[in-house]
Amino acid sequence: MRAIEWKRFEDLCQKFYEIKGIRSVTTPLGPDGGIDVRLFQDDSDRATSIVQCKAWGERFVGVKPVRELLGVMTHEKVAKAFFMTSSRFSGDAQAFARSNHITLIDGDMFLMMINRLPAASADALLRFATAGDYNIPTCPKCGQKMKAVPGREGRLDFWGCTSYPRCRQRLGMRRDDTAAAISET
């Protein structure tokens, strides 16, 4: 779960809600305003809940992004939000979420929720999650897969868009990405 790249993780979360029978849509590429998935209880175009997704590998999600989600809830006028991560939440984040109608779902809990689905649905979701290059980031600007670029002159390695120079988007590598990227080149 912790190796899944950010876009695949968002799509996996959306597909999970879809399988549960909840109408859900992911936000388009680009700035998302703190919402990755919108959940709908009826046929209206008004979301009843929002979902923020973070595929942060081994890094804990602290209280700051959870506070930001509360701000998005207020702006969107929704009473319920879910914060899903492939990693874990800090104690401060958990305490803040409990008192603000935000449900935190860490990687272990999400995997448990997937495994509680009917076997065929769980298998389909897990196959989707790990198909192909699931651990290579997607460019948040143009949607292409990225490639590992070695840092020069003492700079850190990074992910660069394969559409360079047309798209100049870069992403920093997670610590657990560096070893994987080096072994693939």
Side-chain angles (χ1 to χ4, degrees):
M1 185 65 73
R2 291 190 176 104
I4 297 173
E5 63 99 13
W6 73 271
K7 181 63 174 134
R8 180 74 58 94
F9 186 70
E10 286 181 9
D11 292 343
L12 177 65
C13 293
Q14 184 274 325
K15 288 184 180 303
F16 172 80
Y17 288 108
E18 188 176 274
I19 285 173
K20 294 290 288 175
I22 300 168
R23 187 166 65 97
S24 56
V25 295
T26 56
T27 56
L29 291 175
D32 61 21
I35 302 171
D36 295 315
V37 181
R38 285 182 164 81
L39 304 177
F40 303 87
Q41 287 186 337
D42 53 32
D43 292 333
S44 76
D45 289 333
R46 179 138 171 73
T48 53
S49 298
I50 56 176
V51 183
Q52 175 64 269
C53 306
K54 294 286 185 209
W56 279 7
E58 295 296 323
R59 205 172 110 210
F60 275 75
V61 175
V63 71
K64 184 177 184 244
V66 180
R67 277 193 191 119
E68 290 168 354
L69 183 56
L70 179 61
V72 174
M73 290 169 62
T74 302
H75 177 76
E76 294 287 318
K77 297 178 176 73
V78 296
K80 185 71 181 158
F82 299 88
F83 199 124
M84 301 177 76
T85 184
S86 58
S87 63
R88 297 167 292 218
F89 294 96
S90 71
D92 289 346
Q94 293 172 21
F96 183 83
R98 270 192 299 274
S99 61
N100 287 288
H101 298 75
I102 299 172
T103 300
L104 302 181
I105 301 171
D106 67 17
D108 293 339
M109 179 179 282
F110 188 34
L111 190 56
M112 188 175 12
M113 292 164 60
I114 290 171
N115 285 327
R116 287 183 179 163
L117 293 171
S121 296
D123 289 345
L125 268 182
L126 294 173
R127 276 193 312 276
F128 169 78
T130 58
D133 52 2
Y134 66 92
N135 59 345
I136 305 296
T138 301
C139 176
K141 189 172 181 182
C142 72
Q144 297 295 313
K145 281 296 182 177
M146 301 186 93
K147 66 179 178 181
V149 179
R152 286 186 272 177
E153 300 174 10
R155 294 195 176 131
L156 298 174
D157 296 347
F158 62 92
W159 293 106
C161 186
T162 54
S163 296
Y164 180 84
R166 188 172 28 112
C167 178
R168 296 177 176 270
Q169 184 70 43
R170 293 177 170 200
L171 293 176
M173 284 193 174
R174 301 185 299 206
R175 275 177 273 179
D176 47 332
D177 285 342
T178 306
I182 290 169
S183 68
E184 291 172 10
T185 55

